Amino acid sequence: MLKLDPFCKLNGRFHLLQSPWSSDARLNALFHVKVPLCLMDVDSLKILWANEPGLTFWQADNASELYARDMAQSLTTAAIPALHNIRRNCHATQSCVSELWTVFPGEQATTAQIGFSPYLTDDNKPVLLLQVIKQHQSRRAESLHTTTALTHTSTMISLYGNDNQLLFSNSASQDALGNRERTLLDRWVNPADIHKIEQALIASESCSIELEVHTVAGIRWHSMSIRRSLNAVSGDTATLVSATDSTEQRNAQQVAYNLAYTDSLTNLPNRAAINIYLDELMAPGEKSQTGFGLFFLDLDRFKAVNDSLGHSVGDQLLIEVALRLTTSAGPDSMVARLGGDEFVMIINRVTDIKILCDLATSVLQCMSEPVELNEQKLRILPSIGICSYPANGNTISELMQNADAAMYLAKANQSGYYFYDETMTRSLSEGIKNRLGLENDLVSALSNNEFELYYQPKISCRTRAVTGAEALLRWNHPTRGMIPPDHFIAIAEETGQIIELGNWVLHEAMKQQRDWHRAGFNLPVSINISARQFKATDLVSNVSEALIRHCCDPVMVELEITESMLLGDTDHVHETLHQLSTMGIKLALDDFGTGYSNLAYLQRYPLDTLKIDKAFLADQKRSMLMGTILNMGKVLGLQVVAEGVETAAQADWLIARGCDYLQGFHFSKPLPVAQATEFFEQNSATRQPPINKAA
């Protein structure tokens, strides 16, 4: 249920009380509107929220009293079923209605023109936003026909002759318009409105219209009734204009529209607006014959930014993304935010696959420039799913689903963008089923002893001998066989099972290091730490417990972390790393070069090792940066490990440029314990005599 701000009355004025939800932007935006406003739950006939004029209109002493009031007592018998019909029609058509109602805010009846607008609470409950457009003062009916009533009514009444010169105006019109009504043409702000009125009066003797007009208070909106009449003196044709000021009402409607159809963070159209826009494009008629392209975009690694740097930085990033997407899309397209880090682009009158793919490439290029926020340079790229209408769907739901499916493949393949095709849907469906199966099986895998650690040797560039090993997790699934970590680690991260799994790895790896040490292999073991483990407050105590339990020398343990873990809570990061370093644990920065590559981390934190991602060797263009990174490691006094070494030429190149250690299939793939031990026996530079376990 939408939580609404309570009010209290102090010193004769209403004030907003502080509460956990008092920053609700949607209602705060309406709070200071001068016309009476309130939210009504039609089912319970309760007022959920009202602004100050709304409290005054309903003659409430305070908000608590109004919210507790049974509004059935303030309505006529016929009003209650009418409210249900209005709510149903407003939400079905996403439109507003205005009706003349008699209500009973106190003991006497009050007649008012009330506008009803659709409004959704945070839990998607449809309610009504009521706006008191005009409150009619009670007066004797016969007095409306008197000259005095005409002269003193608050409605602005003017009569103009054939030459558009003013013949008569009442005091309300004179006060509001001043000299601006000497001729009818002087009133209008937009000259094009003159043609609209003339055409309407030709088709009919009268018209109702809302226009911007010049007044003594500046430009205002007036709701006007204009009709052909007669000059009572000459008998000539005249034009009678009656008007009321609708500026406040229109502003309130605009605010309500913005709240309903605009994303409050980015000011882009929201999901409701994009649905209306697509409905218009796909409606039978000329527009639907041209077709259009649809991009579904999801930001890569956005969750890591939110988790590490906080939601305020994430919000700033989303605002920058919205600006860049709008720039890339061009004037003849529409960009909308669906929610979270999901965006949609509609490219009008373009269905050609090549043109759409070229535009997707342009979007990726525009997004590739780093964004500097909170002294951090962030590079967040989207994955884009592309489809076109009518080739890839005839309904909004079908188009969105197909573009979403294409986006998931683009993300899985790290291809940037992917164009929808029919075979892809079947493949994606199988992939989703497979993922759900793994997620369910993962729950009991640890208790069923299905996990095993493999060890990939680390080779010294100086001696070409084994100097350590990295522990890598494998899943021996009872029916699927051996499952590599890239197939289940992300699932474990999302479900939170990675904490328990990570602690298991700590104990197993340290136990194995102790066993190798006793067998004469004095080799350190590297252990990967997950993001959730690192953020947890008990990481240091868990590491300490494992060291003590397995009698493992801290110097023989290296913990590998990634750059994304160093973002966010600087105090927590600093304290955790320094505590681990003080214990004697070695710290390695893994996958360097693929993330933020902030050199300040290498100087700020007690790191011992820099691990260069294998992508630098696989990509010839990026391999040119290897020399720079190797030199930087030397200057900072860090050991440098190159991962993904697959050829002798790569190994020789790295050794010649001063790399310290190598890992890769050229030397050995990850091995189970027995094979790793055999590899150590054959490739260790020295082996100490086994330690007597009884000693």
Side-chain angles (χ1 to χ4, degrees):
M1 189 56 146
L2 177 66
K3 295 180 177 178
L4 296 159
D5 301 324
F7 297 86
C8 67
K9 192 171 185 181
L10 299 173
N11 300 323
R13 294 181 57 81
F14 289 95
H15 298 272
L16 184 64
L17 286 179
Q18 294 300 318
S19 65
W21 53 85
S22 62
S23 59
D24 189 305
R26 297 191 301 166
L27 294 177
N28 287 344
L30 292 173
F31 178 69
H32 297 291
V33 174
K34 295 180 181 179
V35 299
L37 297 174
C38 65
L39 281 181
M40 178 178 283
D41 181 359
V42 177
D43 294 325
S44 63
L45 291 177
K46 295 286 188 181
I47 297 293
L48 304 179
W49 170 88
N51 65 353
E52 288 188 22
L55 292 170
T56 302
F57 174 79
W58 291 107
Q59 299 181 21
D61 292 331
N62 55 60
S64 298
E65 184 270 318
L66 179 60
Y67 299 163
R69 186 184 298 180
D70 180 5
M71 296 305 294
Q73 305 301 317
S74 301
L75 302 171
T76 63
T77 304
I80 297 174
L83 276 173
H84 285 275
N85 289 333
I86 290 172
R87 180 189 62 179
R88 182 169 55 253
N89 293 335
C90 284
H91 280 275
T93 62
Q94 289 296 303
S95 60
C96 306
V97 299
S98 173
E99 293 186 358
L100 189 67
W101 278 50
T102 299
V103 295
F104 302 84
E107 296 181 358
Q108 294 183 344
T110 297
T111 302
Q113 190 75 20
I114 299 179
F116 301 87
S117 304
Y119 194 99
L120 286 177
T121 63
D122 284 348
D123 58 351
N124 289 325
K125 179 177 179 61
V127 297
L128 287 176
L129 176 64
L130 277 61
Q131 310 168 39
V132 179
I133 298 168
K134 181 175 177 57
Q135 185 174 348
H136 297 270
Q137 302 296 327
S138 58
R139 54 168 64 92
R140 296 176 60 189
E142 61 270 20
S143 68
L144 294 176
H145 302 288
T146 66
T147 303
T148 302
L150 180 65
T151 302
H152 297 289
T153 180
S154 60
T155 301
M156 294 168 275
I157 298 176
S158 305
L159 185 69
Y160 298 90
N162 273 335
D163 56 359
N164 289 321
Q165 295 294 317
L166 180 67
L167 299 175
F168 164 81
S169 64
N170 68 350
S171 58
S173 186
Q174 295 169 21
D175 292 342
L177 301 174
N179 293 331
R180 287 293 190 176
E181 66 168 341
R182 290 307 162 197
T183 72
L184 181 58
L185 304 184
D186 289 337
R187 295 179 71 161
W188 319 129
V189 171
N190 187 352
D193 291 336
I194 299 171
H195 180 70
K196 289 182 187 178
I197 295 169
E198 289 176 349
Q199 293 299 311
L201 292 178
I202 290 173
S204 175
E205 288 296 306
S206 65
C207 75
S208 296
I209 193 168
E210 188 176 47
L211 300 174
E212 283 186 297
V213 299
H214 294 289
T215 73
V216 294
I219 295 175
R220 305 282 291 178
W221 284 93
H222 281 185
S223 180
M224 291 179 284
S225 174
I226 305 173
R227 64 183 179 87
R228 294 298 187 193
S229 183
L230 292 175
N231 184 335
V233 177
S234 65
D236 294 335
T237 302
T239 302
L240 180 65
V241 179
S242 61
T244 57
D245 193 310
S246 58
T247 306
E248 298 296 340
Q249 172 201 352
R250 187 177 182 88
N251 290 344
Q253 288 176 338
Q254 185 62 49
V255 171
Y257 178 88
N258 290 340
L259 291 173
Y261 298 109
T262 303
D263 175 57
S264 59
L265 176 65
T266 63
N267 288 324
L268 291 177
N270 61 11
R271 186 184 293 270
I274 199 71
N275 285 339
I276 293 174
Y277 186 72
L278 288 173
D279 269 335
E280 293 177 354
L281 289 182
M282 299 167 68
E286 183 179 348
K287 285 185 178 180
S288 63
Q289 305 305 313
T290 58
F292 56 86
L294 187 149
F295 286 9
F296 194 106
L297 304 94
D298 182 273
L299 302 182
D300 300 337
R301 299 189 301 147
F302 179 72
K303 184 177 183 297
V305 174
N306 259 350
D307 290 345
S308 57
L309 295 180
H311 289 278
S312 61
V313 174
D315 287 348
Q316 294 177 56
L317 183 60
L318 289 173
I319 293 171
E320 177 63 24
V321 167
L323 292 173
R324 294 191 185 190
L325 291 180
T326 303
T327 301
S328 300
D332 200 29
S333 300
M334 181 181 188
V335 180
R337 182 186 177 211
L338 296 185
D341 61 339
E342 293 181 339
F343 295 82
V344 165
M345 291 174 58
I346 305 299
I347 299 88
N348 292 319
R349 294 185 291 278
V350 177
T351 57
D352 183 85
I353 294 177
K354 183 179 184 308
I355 296 175
L356 291 173
C357 289
D358 288 344
L359 178 58
T361 301
S362 176
V363 170
L364 291 171
Q365 288 175 347
C366 179
M367 295 287 291
S368 65
E369 289 296 321
V371 182
E372 187 165 347
L373 298 172
N374 267 23
E375 299 181 353
Q376 303 284 349
K377 284 190 175 181
L378 306 179
R379 184 173 177 267
I380 302 294
L381 289 173
S383 291
I384 307 173
I386 310 172
C387 67
S388 65
Y389 172 82
N392 302 131
N394 293 311
T395 66
I396 296 175
S397 176
E398 193 175 4
L399 283 171
M400 287 290 193
Q401 182 178 343
N402 292 341
D404 190 20
M407 182 277 295
Y408 271 108
L409 275 185
K411 189 178 289 287
N413 297 331
Q414 297 182 345
S415 59
Y417 65 86
Y418 203 98
F419 206 95
Y420 171 80
D421 63 68
E422 292 182 3
T423 59
M424 180 187 65
T425 303
R426 292 192 294 271
S427 172
L428 184 64
S429 178
E430 290 300 318
I432 293 173
K433 289 179 182 178
N434 180 65
R435 188 191 187 283
L436 290 175
L438 285 176
E439 187 174 323
N440 291 331
D441 295 344
L442 193 59
V443 174
S444 57
L446 191 57
S447 60
N448 292 339
N449 297 316
E450 296 174 9
F451 290 106
E452 179 182 359
L453 288 183
Y454 275 41
Y455 295 87
Q456 186 169 36
K458 186 188 299 182
I459 308 300
S460 169
C461 291
R462 186 173 59 84
T463 64
R464 298 292 184 106
V466 177
T467 58
E470 179 180 358
L472 298 168
L473 189 61
R474 296 293 185 268
W475 182 4
N476 289 311
H477 194 281
T479 59
R480 300 172 187 255
M482 187 65 72
I483 302 177
D486 57 341
H487 287 192
F488 66 86
I489 289 296
I491 299 175
E493 283 273 9
E494 291 178 17
T495 60
Q497 291 171 284
I498 195 67
I499 297 290
E500 185 180 7
L501 198 52
N503 287 333
W504 180 86
V505 172
L506 279 174
H507 283 271
E508 285 297 308
M510 291 189 192
K511 178 178 177 294
Q512 186 58 54
Q513 197 284 327
R514 178 205 60 190
D515 291 345
W516 277 329
H517 175 68
R518 288 179 173 175
F521 300 108
N522 198 24
L523 300 173
V525 172
S526 299
I527 304 170
N528 290 283
I529 299 298
S530 72
R532 284 208 177 195
Q533 270 183 291
F534 189 75
K535 287 182 64 178
T537 56
D538 58 356
L539 173 63
V540 174
S541 61
N542 287 338
V543 171
S544 178
E545 179 188 350
L547 288 169
I548 294 170
R549 177 181 297 184
H550 303 293
C551 300
C552 186
D553 185 352
V555 177
M556 292 292 105
V557 175
E558 182 178 65
L559 300 184
E560 296 190 8
I561 59 176
T562 59
E563 290 181 82
S564 62
M565 299 181 199
L566 303 180
L567 300 174
D569 188 347
T570 305
D571 292 338
H572 172 73
V573 172
H574 188 275
E575 182 179 0
T576 300
L577 293 181
H578 276 273
Q579 285 181 347
L580 292 170
S581 180
T582 301
M583 292 165 56
I585 298 286
K586 301 299 181 184
L587 299 172
L589 188 61
D590 197 12
D591 298 337
F592 185 78
T594 61
Y596 307 101
S597 303
N598 192 328
L599 300 184
Y601 299 149
L602 306 182
Q603 298 173 305
R604 184 185 307 161
Y605 300 120
L607 301 172
D608 301 286
T609 304
L610 193 63
K611 299 192 73 173
I612 306 175
D613 189 78
K614 61 184 178 181
F616 281 90
L617 285 176
D619 186 343
Q620 189 174 6
K621 293 181 180 178
R622 298 177 72 180
S623 67
M624 293 185 294
L625 297 174
M626 283 285 253
T628 302
I629 297 175
L630 289 168
N631 290 332
M632 181 180 63
K634 290 180 182 179
V635 171
L636 296 173
L638 300 174
Q639 300 288 322
V640 180
V641 181
E643 298 180 297
V645 181
E646 297 185 354
T647 67
Q650 290 175 339
D652 292 340
W653 188 90
L654 288 163
I655 292 171
R657 282 158 179 78
C659 189
D660 298 300
Y661 302 101
L662 306 175
Q663 273 183 261
F665 280 23
H666 174 62
F667 303 102
S668 173
K669 63 182 181 180
L671 302 169
V673 172
Q675 294 180 29
T677 303
E678 183 180 345
F679 187 90
F680 296 163
E681 290 176 344
Q682 297 171 358
N683 296 279
S684 291
T686 59
R687 180 183 179 187
Q688 303 295 326
I691 297 174
N692 187 346
K693 294 183 180 180

